[in-house]
Amino acid sequence: NAGVTQTPKFRVLKTGQSMTLLCAQDMNHEYMYWYRQDPGMGLRLIHYSVGEGTTAKGEVPDGYNVSRLKKQNFLLGLESAAPSQTSVYFCASKRSADTFYGYTFGSGTRLTVV
Amino acid sequence: GESVGLHLPTLSVQEGDNSIINCAYSNSASDYFIWYKQESGKGPQFIIDIRSNMDKRQGQRVTVLLNKTVKHLSLQIAATQPGDSAVYFCAERTPPTTSGSARQLTFGSGTQLTVLP
């Protein structure tokens, strides 16, 4: 039972490059989330999905796009990376909207944009 | 203690002592609260949760207290161990910001707990 798996774990990008972060969960969860974590700040929601084929914007969506083509996968894309996107990115999932459960988080992707 | 949006405070405790980590949440309409533990280089790990209709909930060595009057949440760790050293942060589930949208979690910035030998 792997839970939530994020790939890659580390990446260095040059300004203007693009990349995709992959999140995969094997718990059959409906809801999936992408957060970023910056020093001294709480996790901030980038985008989320309430089910296969759906996506919605969170608190800080600019510069990112997402796709949820399969229920188990949630992709986060950076079309043209900027130094302000240097951060640690976490994916999370939960079973459903009304679940009074904590989310399950992946181990994170540390992204540096130079 | 911690407050949503402020810089990371620190707490140092002696091994074996009890730890109390505080959190001031922002929204009186939040209905659900969670404490997470995050070790260095890892993702947040669920510790304990509490619904807004409760004042106290206990787990194994941990207790969460909720005071809705002053919008305050605390995490008590009994007999703190070296493995408890980590960043602890609270999260509140806030009402939807727009009609039809889902409730979201708002996370605090965390408290760094260091357990001294």
Side-chain angles (χ1 to χ4, degrees):
Chain A
N1 186 1
V4 177
T5 303
Q6 292 183 232
T7 53
K9 296 188 183 302
F10 303 93
R11 185 73 184 268
V12 178
L13 285 180
K14 294 183 179 179
T15 298
Q17 286 185 320
S18 63
M19 77 163 294
T20 300
L21 283 67
L22 171 64
C23 176
Q25 53 93 5
D26 61 1
M27 299 170 286
N28 202 34
H29 283 179
E30 290 292 335
Y31 279 49
M32 296 187 74
Y33 304 83
W34 276 108
Y35 290 91
R36 60 178 289 171
Q37 186 177 43
D38 300 298
M41 300 181 70
L43 293 164
R44 291 184 293 166
L45 182 64
I46 304 172
H47 287 280
Y48 66 99
S49 168
V50 301
E52 181 179 321
T54 74
T55 62
K57 294 181 179 179
E59 179 186 356
V60 288
D62 294 342
Y64 306 95
N65 57 76
V66 288
S67 64
R68 183 101 181 266
L69 299 179
K70 294 183 178 181
K71 185 177 183 178
Q72 64 268 33
N73 295 336
F74 194 30
L75 279 64
L76 177 70
L78 285 73
E79 293 182 344
S80 179
S84 62
Q85 294 178 304
T86 294
S87 187
V88 181
Y89 292 85
F90 287 99
C91 177
S93 71
K94 69 169 182 169
R95 194 177 69 186
S96 66
D98 296 327
T99 306
F100 277 88
Y101 287 0
Y103 294 10
T104 301
F105 282 87
S107 57
T109 296
R110 184 173 294 276
L111 175 66
T112 303
V113 183
V114 297
Chain B
E2 170 191 352
S3 180
V4 173
L6 296 184
H7 294 289
L8 193 66
T10 59
L11 174 67
S12 296
V13 299
Q14 212 66 37
E15 181 178 353
D17 288 351
N18 296 334
S19 303
I20 299 177
I21 301 170
N22 298 303
C23 174
Y25 64 92
S26 61
N27 195 319
S28 58
S30 293
D31 67 346
Y32 176 56
F33 305 88
I34 312 170
W35 278 102
Y36 285 96
K37 173 186 180 181
Q38 187 176 21
E39 296 173 280
S40 180
K42 297 184 179 180
Q45 179 184 4
F46 172 88
I47 301 174
I48 192 168
D49 59 358
I50 188 168
R51 303 185 188 194
S52 59
N53 61 353
M54 302 170 68
D55 297 323
K56 179 179 180 179
R57 190 163 188 225
Q58 289 184 295
Q60 188 176 11
R61 280 203 307 121
V62 294
T63 301
V64 55
L65 299 177
L66 176 63
N67 185 332
K68 293 181 288 294
T69 303
V70 294
K71 293 190 288 186
H72 184 266
L73 195 67
S74 69
L75 176 70
Q76 301 178 3
I77 305 173
T80 312
Q81 303 169 359
D84 294 328
S85 292
V87 174
Y88 291 81
F89 54 90
C90 66
E92 60 180 304
R93 195 171 80 152
T94 55
T97 53
T98 58
S99 177
S101 65
R103 284 180 175 264
Q104 302 295 348
L105 285 185
T106 299
F107 293 86
S109 55
T111 295
Q112 174 70 58
L113 175 66
T114 301
V115 181
L116 306 173

